[in-house]
Amino acid sequence: IRPMTGSLSWASLKLPTIRGTVGMDVSKAGGRGTVTVTIPANMTAEIWLEDGQIRTAGPGRHIFEFDSN
């Protein structure tokens, strides 16, 4: 998952897969950003944040913060 929001202050995605729906919400304000991802059971995801951090997440809901400057 690699959100690239550019000048958008928020974005949302729900992507149906054969294992369940992958969800992502991104918001940016005041130089900080937040990515919330929902990963279905039996899946892992690599999340590339806009400040260069790369995180790995398993099933469930996860929240990551990043510098959006």
Side-chain angles (χ1 to χ4, degrees), residues 4-66:
M4 299 174 77
T5 57
S7 62
L8 296 175
S9 60
W10 67 272
S12 184
L13 167 79
K14 294 203 184 312
L15 178 67
T17 73
I18 60 173
R19 293 189 178 172
T21 301
V22 173
M24 178 194 73
D25 295 300
V26 181
S27 62
K28 298 188 301 186
R32 298 292 304 156
T34 302
V35 175
T36 303
V37 295
T38 304
I39 309 299
N42 299 315
M43 284 185 84
T44 59
E46 193 171 81
I47 298 89
W48 294 55
L49 302 175
E50 292 184 34
D51 65 358
Q53 296 180 68
I54 301 172
R55 303 289 184 90
T56 302
R61 182 173 181 263
H62 307 276
I63 300 172
F64 304 100
E65 293 187 350
F66 63 93

